[in-house]
Amino acid sequence: MDSALEIFQPGLLDDRTVFITGGGSGIGRGICDMLGGLGAKIFIASRNPEKLGVAVEELSADGVTADFIIADVRDYEQVEAAIARCAERFGGIDILINNAAGNFNCPTAELSPNGWKTVIDIDLNGTFYCCKAAYPHLKASGHARIISITTTLARSGWPQAAHAGAAKAGIQSLTNALAVEWAPDGILVNSISPGPIAGTVGVDKLYIETGQEEVMISRVALRRFGKIDDIAGAVAFLCSPAGNYVTGTELVVDGGRQWTFASAS
Ligand code: HXC
Ligand code: NAP
C-alpha cells in the first residue's frame, strides 16, 4: 500500500466541499490530492496564480472538481470574497483547512516589527479571518470540520522563529475556543501538528538551506522526515466519520519529535 488514500473508502467525501488556503504547494497540495481523491470538491485560495493554475489543472486531470481564487489571507475583504465565491461555485462549504503560512529563521533581537507582524498576519489573523468568514456556511453543512495546520513548537516556543511559534500558539488557542463555541453548530475544530515533512518549502527553507538537515533528523524519534501523505492521511481521518467525536484536539503527526526535540535542546 503506497498511500494513506488506499485505506479510506472511495467516495467517502463525495458530497463535501473543501476550502483550503495555500493548497497550491507542499502539505496543502497533498491535502488537496487526498480529499479530492476521496471525492470532495476542492477550492484553493492563495496568492500565486501560476502555482494555483497548475494545481487545479493537475487535480482536474485526476478527475477532481477543483477551482481557485487569488487571495491574500491577511486581507479580510479578500478572504470574505474567496469564501463567498467558493460557496457560490460549489454550493456550500463543509471543510475549512487553514494551511497557509509564512515563515523564516531570524533571531528575535534582529526581527523587525514588520517581520513579526507579517507572520502573525498570515498565520494567526488569516486563520481567524477564514474561520469567521466560513462560519455561516459551515454551520449549514451538517458535516463541518475546521482543521488548522500548526506545530508542536507552538507549545515549546520556537527559538529563531518566535514569530511563527507565537502565531501557531494563537491558532491552537483559537482552535480550543471555537471547538467549544461552535460545537452546538455541529462544527468540529481541530489542529494537526506535523513534524518536519520532506519535500516542503518549510523544511527546505528552515533546515536544508541552513545546513541543519542531519541534526533535525536526529531530533526525530523515528530518525527520518515525514511524508506529505502522512499529514494528508491525518486530515482525511478527521474529516471521516471516524473523527465524529474528535474536537478541540491537536493531532500530532511528528515521528515522536516533540519529546526527542525537547530533550535534545
Ligand atoms: C528577517 C525577514 C525575512 C528573513 C522577510 N523578512 N524575510 N526578516 N529574515 N529571512 C521581513 C522583511 O524584511 C519585512 O520586514 C517583512 O518580513 C515582510 O517581508 P516581505 O518580503 O515584504 O513579505 P511578503 O512578500 O509578504 O512575504 C512573506 C514572507 C515570505 C513570510 C516573508 O517568506 C512568504 O511569502 N512565505 C510563504 C511561504 C513560506 O514561508 N512557507 C513556509 C511555511 S513553513 P521589513 O521590516 O523589512 O519591512 C512553516 C513551518 C515549517 O510555517 C516547519 C518546518 C519544520
Ligand atoms: P508552503 O508550500 O510554503 O505552503 C504555504 C502556503 O501558504 C503556500 O502555498 C502559499 O501560497 C500560502 N500562503 C503564504 N502566504 C499566504 C498569504 N498571505 N495568503 C494566502 N496564502 C498564502 O509550505 P509547507 O511547508 O507545505 O507548509 C504548509 C503548512 O504546514 C503551514 O501551515 C506550515 O506552517 C505547516 N507546517 C509545515 C511543516 C513542514 O515540515 N513543512 C511542519 C510543521 C507545520 P502562495 O505562495 O500562492 O500564496
Side-chain angles (χ1 to χ4, degrees):
M1 202 178 278
D2 290 334
S3 161
L5 179 63
E6 295 170 45
I7 70 169
F8 296 99
Q9 193 176 322
L12 180 72
L13 301 176
D14 262 355
D15 53 349
R16 311 287 157 84
T17 293
V18 176
F19 182 95
I20 178 167
T21 59
S25 59
I27 290 172
R29 178 59 210 282
I31 295 170
C32 292
D33 287 339
M34 175 69 66
L35 302 186
L38 294 171
K41 298 187 267 286
I42 305 292
F43 195 88
I44 312 174
S46 74
R47 299 164 302 170
N48 182 320
E50 287 79 31
K51 216 160 65 174
L52 290 170
V54 170
V56 165
E57 201 175 301
E58 290 177 358
L59 284 161
S60 304
D62 287 340
V64 177
T65 302
D67 205 349
F68 72 86
I69 193 165
I70 307 301
D72 189 319
V73 295
R74 291 171 281 193
D75 182 324
Y76 185 66
E77 283 181 8
Q78 291 186 34
V79 169
E80 218 177 11
I83 291 277
R85 176 70 188 131
C86 172
E88 176 190 276
R89 173 95 169 75
F90 292 149
I93 298 176
D94 304 287
I95 297 166
L96 166 64
I97 311 284
N98 295 306
N99 167 78
N103 203 355
F104 48 81
N105 275 336
C106 183
T108 308
E110 293 164 24
L111 182 63
S112 73
N114 191 39
W116 171 271
K117 180 176 181 301
T118 296
V119 172
I120 300 290
D121 272 348
I122 300 171
D123 294 24
L124 177 57
N125 294 342
T127 296
F128 167 70
Y129 292 166
C130 289
C131 291
K132 179 173 170 56
Y135 171 69
H137 304 289
L138 295 168
K139 189 176 173 181
S141 157
H143 309 280
R145 303 285 195 268
I146 297 175
I147 299 168
S148 301
I149 311 300
T150 61
T151 167
T152 60
L153 300 173
R155 284 185 270 114
S156 64
W158 195 344
Q160 311 301 324
H163 42 323
K168 298 292 194 183
I171 296 172
Q172 297 285 18
S173 180
L174 177 66
T175 296
N176 298 345
L178 295 185
V180 174
E181 284 191 39
W182 293 355
D185 300 314
I187 305 171
L188 306 189
V189 191
N190 293 291
S191 64
I192 291 178
S193 285
I197 301 300
T200 61
V201 172
V203 158
D204 289 351
K205 191 153 106 169
L206 270 57
Y207 297 161
I208 303 213
E209 286 166 19
T210 58
Q212 296 185 83
E213 182 176 3
E214 289 311 317
V215 71
M216 287 304 165
I217 288 174
S218 76
R219 289 181 176 190
V220 178
L222 294 181
R223 295 291 187 268
R224 60 179 171 79
F225 287 157
K227 298 180 192 157
I228 288 174
D229 193 56
D230 295 326
I231 308 308
V235 172
F237 160 73
L238 288 176
C239 292
S240 79
N244 278 352
Y245 200 55
V246 183
T247 196
T249 282
E250 178 194 4
L251 177 50
V252 177
V253 185
D254 76 338
R257 181 180 69 159
Q258 60 181 324
W259 312 123
T260 27
F261 195 92
S263 56
S265 32

